Amino acid sequence: MDEEISIINSNTRLENIKNFFLHNKKKLIIILILIIIFIFSFFISKEINSNKKIEISNKYNEAILSFSNGNTQRAENILNYIIDENDNTYSPLALYFLIDNEIMISRELINSKFDKIINDLDLENEIKFLVIYKKALFNSDFATENELIDILSPITNSESIWKSHALYLLGEYFMSKNEKQKAKEFYEKILALSSGNNKIKSLTQKRFQNEFVEQ
């Protein structure tokens, strides 16, 4: 008797499953098609992105070669193209190359490129903070006090690994202006950090010893 009941229950379950598929055949086919489309789209998108990365990498190498051969204008055009492509790796590198080799000299244009990278790229926080620090470093020779503090505020208000660098840059900025009390405040913040770059801390201690500790 129990065996017969078990067979009936099993047959009932199979019949229910069969009916479910028959009644929902169209919906299931649509879901299956959507899954297949999603899988194909994912791999196609991945392939496109991979090819785009290779293309931008080749463009970056082409820009460096053009600069080495004395074709500065072509190098600048290619590097600007790379920046506008919003690539997380090569867009920042392109901007650094433009600045380090003094290919682009317009302060306004360079700052606009910095802002584009900082605001438009989906960068990890520490990479973004590095770009912000480099922007501040670029502007440190001609920025006002408030401008430099404002640029660095995302870093100085964080617990970033670049915080000690940002504070040291501000300290050195005020030392160059002979505003020692303001510089001292930033040096003290570095020395009070529980973490931070050891080299920066060492430089700060030497600066503090030389400038603020009575001999």
Side-chain angles (χ1 to χ4, degrees), residues 162-210:
W162 299 104
K163 184 171 183 174
S164 54
H165 291 73
L167 293 171
Y168 188 77
L169 178 58
L170 288 167
E172 291 296 285
Y173 172 84
F174 285 113
M175 284 298 293
S176 71
K177 304 291 184 183
N178 203 32
E179 297 184 49
K180 290 190 174 183
Q181 185 54 43
K182 288 184 178 180
K184 183 181 179 183
E185 293 173 8
F186 289 105
Y187 293 141
E188 287 175 336
K189 288 180 180 180
I190 296 171
L191 297 176
L193 290 174
S194 58
S195 60
N197 184 278
N198 289 331
K199 184 177 179 180
I200 295 295
K201 280 195 168 186
S202 177
L203 289 171
T204 303
Q205 287 169 343
K206 289 178 182 178
R207 174 65 96 176
F208 206 85
Q209 184 73 29
N210 292 336

Side-chain angles (χ1 to χ4, degrees), residues 46-202:
K46 192 173 181 180
E47 182 67 20
I48 290 172
N49 289 336
S50 176
N51 291 337
K52 188 68 175 178
K53 189 72 133 179
I54 293 171
E55 177 195 342
I56 293 175
S57 172
N58 290 336
K59 286 284 187 184
Y60 183 76
N61 292 330
E62 182 184 345
I64 294 174
L65 183 61
S66 295
F67 180 76
S68 299
N69 292 334
N71 195 340
T72 304
Q73 186 58 58
R74 177 166 177 75
E76 181 177 356
N77 292 340
I78 296 172
L79 292 167
N80 276 312
Y81 164 81
I82 293 171
I83 292 171
D84 291 338
E85 285 299 297
N86 290 339
D87 182 85
N88 284 6
T89 302
Y90 288 99
S91 291
L93 288 176
L95 179 56
Y96 302 156
F97 193 90
L98 283 169
I99 295 170
D100 292 342
N101 293 282
E102 298 181 346
I103 298 173
M104 184 186 290
I105 59 175
S106 167
R107 178 191 171 193
E108 291 75 16
L109 186 55
I110 290 173
N111 276 322
S112 72
K113 298 296 184 183
F114 266 119
D115 290 339
K116 178 177 178 58
I117 289 171
I118 292 167
N119 297 322
D120 293 352
L121 269 64
D122 185 23
L123 298 172
E124 296 179 6
N125 278 342
E126 293 298 351
I127 301 298
K128 179 174 287 189
F129 286 144
L130 173 59
V131 178
I132 292 172
Y133 174 72
K134 285 183 175 290
K135 179 186 178 183
L137 200 60
F138 169 74
N139 283 279
S140 59
D141 288 336
F142 34 73
T144 66
E145 169 185 334
N146 289 335
E147 285 174 341
L148 193 61
I149 290 174
D150 184 59
I151 292 171
L152 288 169
S153 62
I155 306 177
T156 55
N157 292 327
S158 74
E159 297 303 321
S160 168
I161 59 175
W162 299 104
K163 184 171 183 174
S164 54
H165 291 73
L167 293 171
Y168 188 77
L169 178 58
L170 288 167
E172 291 296 285
Y173 172 84
F174 285 113
M175 284 298 293
S176 71
K177 304 291 184 183
N178 203 32
E179 297 184 49
K180 290 190 174 183
Q181 185 54 43
K182 288 184 178 180
K184 183 181 179 183
E185 293 173 8
F186 289 105
Y187 293 141
E188 287 175 336
K189 288 180 180 180
I190 296 171
L191 297 176
L193 290 174
S194 58
S195 60
N197 184 278
N198 289 331
K199 184 177 179 180
I200 295 295
K201 280 195 168 186
S202 177

